[in-house]
Amino acid sequence: MFIAAGVVITPVLLSPFPRFRAPLSTVVEAQDGSLLGARIADDGQWRFPGFGQIPEKFEKALLAFEDRYFYIHPGINPVSVFRAVIQNIKAGEIVSGGSTITMQVARISRGSSSRTYPGKIVEMLSALKMELFRSKRSILKIYSANAPFGGNIVGLEAATWRYLGKSSEDITWAEAAALAVLPNSPALVFPGKNQEILKTRRNDLLRKLFEREYFDSITLVLALDEPLPGEPKPLPVKASHLTDYFYKNNKGEMIRTTIDPVIQERAVEIVNARQKDLSGNFINNSACIIIKVETGEVLAYVGNSRTEDKTEHGGDVDIIRSLRSTGSILKPLLYAGMQQSGDILPNTLIADVPSRFPGFSPKNFDQSFSGAVPASHALSQSLNIPAVKMLQIYSPEKLLGLFHNVGFTTFSKPADHYGLSLILGGGETSLWELAGVYASLSRVLNTYNEEKKYFRGDYHPPVVVSQNATAPEKIEDTDPPLSAASIWLTCEALKKVNRPEGEAGWQYFSSSPDLAWKTGTSFGFRDAWAVGTTPGYVIGVWAGNADGEGRPGLTGIAAAAPILFDLVSMMNPSGWFSEPSEEMTMIKVCSLSGFRAGPDCPDTEEIPACVNGLRSESCPYHKMIHLDKSRTRQVNADCVSPAEIRNQVWFVLPPLMEYFYRQKHPEYRVLPPFAPGCSSDRSIPVMEFVYPTPGIKIFIPRDQTGQPTRIIAEVAHRNPSGKIFWHLDEEYKGTTKHIHQTEILADAGDHVLTVVDEDGNSLRCFFYIIGK
Ligand SMILES: [Zn+2]
């Protein structure tokens, strides 16, 4: 008895267990399970990973066609085996296998289609073994995932997408029947080949299903009338760069992403439509990403615009993950950092004057100077010189630390590698990180407004793979990189409508919903950026050439902002960030200078600001001066009696700022001259060094002949028509008039430059020349 059982069971246990190790296609799905794109498996087969649910109609059709007693037999069906043996003996060869679904799974797993008796016996033993260890349902799933459906199409899911252009979830009876008959002779009959045989088989099967009362006669008539599936259809290509990304990083997997298929499709249309305009100016690539602030989920991922030939003009490059020079796109972080530290208030005047730094002369985009601009305007108009002046105060080290704390990983060099150019695009990042950081900051502000707390977990990169995992534990952050108040103030500054005149782009804004937005243009017009945030969404855009070629007109405002605003009107976000008032304080500021109001400031206002703003400097520009009775000349107690003196508050900018500020502010009044016999007030400077700046260390390069190049010293004077006498290390060097520039040549070491004007005012500047 035991021996007899052993004779049966031992071969079963020794037989090979059906396993599937063939390479799989990479399949990328949208958040609703629809197909965004797929890449073929390494063996050239369309074999989708994963075993989803088997649609009921397909299961019924398959079992009716292939294996009616599937749920009853133990892996082999003795009746059909017996029938097959009789048939084969009559025919003199194997014409029928009498195979069950389980036996077919065993055969497919062996990769063999040979019909021999030993092969059949192994299949039977394997089938019996499989039935011992697997449920009927999972055997059916393995079959559906691995059955051949003609050509290089393997598995039901690949078959429905290729033949029907849709998921297997919603197939009709006619479609289920057509698909169910395919694995039986996939080389002979498949859509597009031997259509008549396919039609006969499908219709026979439909009638069989009707006889089993799976559906009524009207359904049968309609099903028989349905057209057959035709030639394989191309798979959807809705997010090709994202599909490439997963093909490289998650090959052979089925990835459910966070992409919203409708938003994705419209974002692709918008980018491609705008790309047509850009291509006219030989700007060949553009990209965008849309992120939901609350979760960081990526709703749209357009890695590049579509050109006729994908590889032409670098169209295959995934720009979203590429490192590019940041241009001005990170200035908002400096503004936020300085609000938080109390270095400046929202509208503090910042110098906007010609400035030279060693080896580095920043210029504003329009090459002009405003003399002095409120910090918020400098930000919204993206002025470069004020940004560098601000970074000088804040320091590159501190800004770099802030970049790291808010989530940038791409600024990996030490601060002195970037220096002050850090704020003008001296470093690189990707659209992915940039949009992720903007989303993190908006999230921090939203969370604070809801919970009055900060959580470290609110800073995270974008999320593109759909996660079912529970949210991580919320750990309170007692020392957040940026306060909600500083983020809110920055968003307010970036919402301003007053954008540079004469530049295209500002007009988009007037009709748009509330949006904090910033553009950026990298050195040499190589990268155009635009990023915008609302409480709900962050949209990031890049335009340029993937190969890095610069183009005139390739600016954030001209090339990237139009795409941003098209995307904004598509998303149509509503609402605006609440003011985190618990974290803010009202500060009395000078209306004209934006500094904390001093005792002499005539017009003041209360504005919300960060608490540290209380420590900021008070207005240095409103000064009490002494005038004669006519108020047209300055006087002092040396030359007139105190009764004759009229005190008046005057707005006095330093000479260099004044020179440029006057040109844009006709209401600015220069200080009246001193009355004859009255000496000038030495506390208000009349001259200022443009270059060198006091304490600067200068490295002097050598020219082609090996001679050290000369440095150009420059001074601004309140009265440009006056003369200035120049002295280097107490030695007279020359006189200048109107334009106060002179060449100086000095050896390595410490030096002092002294300038004296006709009224005897003098100014000294110590500097150091670095040797080799
Ligand atoms: Zn003031």
Side-chain angles (χ1 to χ4, degrees):
M1 177 66 191
F2 287 112
I3 293 169
V7 167
V8 175
I9 289 173
T10 307
V12 169
L13 293 179
L14 290 177
S15 68
F17 191 86
R19 290 184 198 284
F20 294 87
R21 293 206 182 82
L24 300 170
S25 305
T26 310
V27 178
V28 181
E29 296 177 336
Q31 57 174 237
D32 63 353
S34 63
L35 192 59
L36 291 173
R39 294 282 176 269
I40 202 161
D42 283 348
D43 61 353
Q45 303 290 305
W46 285 107
R47 188 186 297 108
F48 280 21
F51 307 105
Q53 289 304 308
I54 297 172
E56 193 194 341
K57 287 173 189 163
F58 177 76
E59 181 181 330
K60 288 202 159 72
L62 177 73
L63 297 188
F65 186 72
E66 290 278 0
D67 192 354
R68 188 173 175 180
Y69 300 103
F70 176 71
Y71 279 106
I72 301 166
H73 64 63
I76 50 179
N77 181 347
V79 179
S80 41
V81 170
F82 181 73
R83 196 191 302 132
V85 168
I86 300 295
Q87 280 178 353
N88 293 340
I89 289 170
K90 277 186 187 165
E93 57 176 328
I94 298 180
V95 291
S96 170
S99 283
T100 61
I101 296 275
T102 322
M103 285 167 66
Q104 290 184 44
V105 170
R107 191 180 73 228
I108 297 164
S109 79
R110 290 168 60 220
S112 154
S113 57
S114 76
R115 295 189 167 186
T116 62
Y117 285 109
K120 275 286 156 215
I121 288 162
V122 172
E123 273 167 30
M124 288 184 194
L125 292 171
S126 289
L128 289 167
K129 184 173 184 178
M130 195 170 191
E131 295 272 353
L132 281 178
F133 294 102
R134 289 281 184 277
S135 69
K136 286 284 182 187
R137 188 129 286 273
S138 78
I139 292 168
L140 208 50
K141 283 183 180 178
I142 294 169
Y143 174 85
S144 296
N146 293 285
F149 281 82
N152 62 351
I153 299 168
V154 179
L156 174 66
E157 200 61 31
T160 54
W161 276 107
R162 292 300 317 267
Y163 292 131
L164 306 171
K166 63 181 181 181
S167 156
S168 67
E169 281 169 30
D170 47 358
I171 53 174
T172 65
W173 279 110
E175 288 163 347
L179 289 169
V181 305
L182 293 180
N184 186 266
S185 47
L188 198 66
V189 179
F190 55 85
K193 190 182 179 192
N194 290 326
Q195 290 290 83
E196 278 312 306
I197 303 176
L198 178 58
K199 187 164 193 174
T200 310
R201 287 185 183 178
R202 181 195 76 170
N203 291 353
D204 289 350
L205 180 53
L206 281 170
R207 287 188 197 96
K208 205 187 267 185
L209 293 167
F210 168 68
E211 283 159 19
R212 291 187 190 171
E213 298 182 350
Y214 289 140
F215 47 75
D216 57 25
S217 58
I218 297 171
T219 309
L220 174 66
V221 171
L222 293 173
L224 292 172
D225 211 31
E226 262 186 52
L228 284 175
E231 302 265 340
K233 297 174 174 38
L235 291 172
V237 184
K238 291 184 175 170
S240 65
H241 298 87
L242 191 59
T243 306
D244 282 341
Y245 176 82
F246 288 119
Y247 180 65
K248 280 184 207 121
N249 295 283
N250 302 69
K251 193 185 251 185
E253 293 179 27
M254 179 174 283
I255 307 287
R256 175 70 62 94
T257 68
T258 58
I259 299 293
D260 180 311
V262 177
I263 294 175
Q264 172 72 18
E265 198 167 342
R266 295 185 63 187
V268 167
E269 283 167 14
I270 286 170
V271 168
N272 286 332
R274 287 286 177 183
Q275 181 59 57
K276 284 187 191 142
D277 302 339
L278 295 172
S279 299
N281 187 21
F282 302 101
I283 299 165
N284 292 310
N285 307 102
S286 46
C288 82
I289 185 169
I290 301 177
I291 298 175
K292 189 174 168 187
V293 166
E294 186 188 351
T295 55
E297 288 171 324
V298 179
L299 303 180
Y301 188 109
V302 185
N304 210 320
S305 47
R306 193 162 53 220
T307 48
E308 297 302 315
D309 173 7
K310 192 166 171 250
T311 54
E312 194 187 338
H313 300 309
D316 53 340
V317 176
D318 181 357
I319 294 293
I320 289 176
R321 310 269 182 171
S322 302
L323 291 185
R324 314 291 308 198
S325 166
T326 53
S328 296
I329 202 75
L330 299 175
K331 284 176 184 168
L333 283 161
L334 174 61
Y335 183 85
M338 293 185 82
Q339 295 300 327
Q340 164 133 325
S341 64
D343 285 318
I344 55 169
L345 292 174
N347 298 316
T348 300
L349 279 183
I350 308 287
D352 181 22
V353 294
S355 305
R356 294 192 194 119
F357 304 94
F360 174 53
S361 295
K363 291 195 169 48
N364 289 330
F365 191 79
D366 63 359
Q367 308 276 333
S368 78
F369 306 100
S370 302
V373 285
S376 61
H377 288 221
L379 177 63
S380 64
Q381 298 180 18
S382 203
L383 299 174
N384 287 335
I385 291 167
V388 176
K389 297 273 184 197
M390 283 162 66
L391 184 56
Q392 258 189 315
I393 300 169
Y394 192 70
S395 93
E397 290 78 10
K398 217 165 148 186
L399 184 63
L400 197 60
L402 180 60
F403 285 177
H404 294 156
N405 285 335
V406 297
F408 284 108
T409 64
T410 55
F411 298 89
S412 50
K413 305 237 166 55
D416 52 4
H417 168 84
Y418 304 105
L420 293 171
S421 75
L422 181 60
I423 199 61
L424 300 184
E428 292 185 326
T429 196
S430 61
L431 195 54
W432 177 260
E433 285 209 350
L434 176 74
V437 166
Y438 273 77
S440 291
L441 297 179
S442 298
R443 191 177 308 122
V444 167
L445 178 50
N446 287 341
T447 305
Y448 182 84
N449 280 328
E450 277 168 30
E451 305 192 29
K452 313 300 171 208
K453 281 180 185 168
Y454 297 97
F455 299 99
R456 192 58 230 175
D458 276 343
Y459 287 93
H460 62 73
V463 174
V464 73
V465 178
S466 181
Q467 296 162 325
N468 298 321
T470 49
E473 195 189 342
K474 287 183 133 190
I475 299 167
E476 193 173 345
D477 189 356
T478 50
D479 184 24
L482 285 173
S483 63
S486 66
I487 298 168
W488 183 80
L489 287 168
T490 307
C491 288
E492 285 286 306
L494 292 173
K495 199 173 77 158
K496 283 191 174 149
V497 186
N498 48 350
R499 294 296 165 125
E501 282 180 23
E503 284 200 15
W506 64 269
Q507 71 272 23
Y508 296 109
F509 183 77
S510 52
S511 60
S512 289
D514 281 344
L515 177 76
W517 63 291
K518 181 82 190 75
T519 59
T521 307
S522 71
F523 181 75
F525 303 102
R526 291 189 177 90
D527 304 274
W529 302 86
V531 62
T533 184
T534 68
Y537 304 102
V538 163
I539 302 173
V541 174
W542 180 94
N545 285 308
D547 64 4
E549 191 200 341
R551 293 294 306 169
L554 176 51
T555 65
I557 200 94
I563 300 176
L564 171 67
F565 283 99
D566 284 355
L567 292 167
V568 169
S569 54
M570 183 259 284
M571 296 299 289
N572 196 24
S574 60
W576 185 242
F577 298 103
S578 309
E579 181 183 328
S581 44
E582 295 80 1
E583 235 204 10
M584 306 189 71
T585 186
M586 296 305 286
I587 295 184
K588 193 170 157 193
V589 298
C590 170
S591 303
L592 201 51
S593 75
F595 281 82
R596 217 156 42 72
D600 296 327
C601 295
D603 298 312
T604 61
E605 56 192 297
E606 297 242 317
I607 61 158
C610 293
V611 178
N612 283 341
L614 290 168
R615 300 204 301 247
S616 67
E617 200 188 335
S618 65
C619 177
Y621 302 134
H622 278 110
K623 293 193 164 82
M624 187 65 75
I625 61 162
H626 310 300
L627 300 176
D628 64 8
K629 279 204 268 188
S630 71
R631 295 184 187 266
T632 55
R633 288 179 183 273
Q634 291 189 69
V635 294
N636 53 42
D638 299 340
C639 53
V640 292
S641 73
E644 305 274 292
I645 295 178
R646 300 288 177 270
N647 288 337
Q648 185 160 342
V649 172
W650 207 276
F651 184 63
V652 190
L653 290 174
L656 192 53
M657 283 163 75
E658 177 187 275
Y659 175 75
F660 292 100
Y661 191 84
R662 278 165 66 185
Q663 297 171 13
K664 296 208 172 177
H665 296 267
E667 75 283 5
Y668 183 89
R669 292 191 300 152
V670 294
L671 280 170
F674 275 88
C678 291
S679 58
S680 61
D681 178 358
R682 307 282 168 173
S683 72
I684 301 176
V686 295
M687 291 185 290
E688 190 177 355
F689 275 101
V690 181
Y691 194 80
T693 44
I696 195 172
K697 290 188 168 68
I698 304 172
F699 173 75
I700 300 182
R702 306 216 162 231
D703 64 16
Q704 301 92 324
T705 63
Q707 294 299 310
T709 52
R710 288 158 189 262
I711 55 176
I712 308 290
E714 185 173 4
V715 158
H717 196 286
R718 284 195 197 279
N719 175 14
S721 59
K723 282 181 184 166
I724 287 181
F725 308 95
W726 295 77
H727 306 263
L728 179 62
D729 301 325
E730 314 305 340
E731 190 182 325
Y732 173 71
K733 287 290 175 190
T735 307
T736 55
K737 197 175 175 186
H738 297 299
I739 296 168
H740 301 299
Q741 282 183 350
T742 190
E743 281 187 345
I744 55 174
L745 184 58
D747 296 327
D750 284 308
H751 298 279
V752 59
L753 190 60
T754 311
V755 287
V756 183
D757 72 1
E758 290 171 295
D759 296 330
N761 298 299
S762 73
L763 193 62
R764 285 157 82 81
C765 172
F766 293 92
F767 62 98
Y768 182 81
I769 293 195
I770 300 166
K772 278 197 175 172

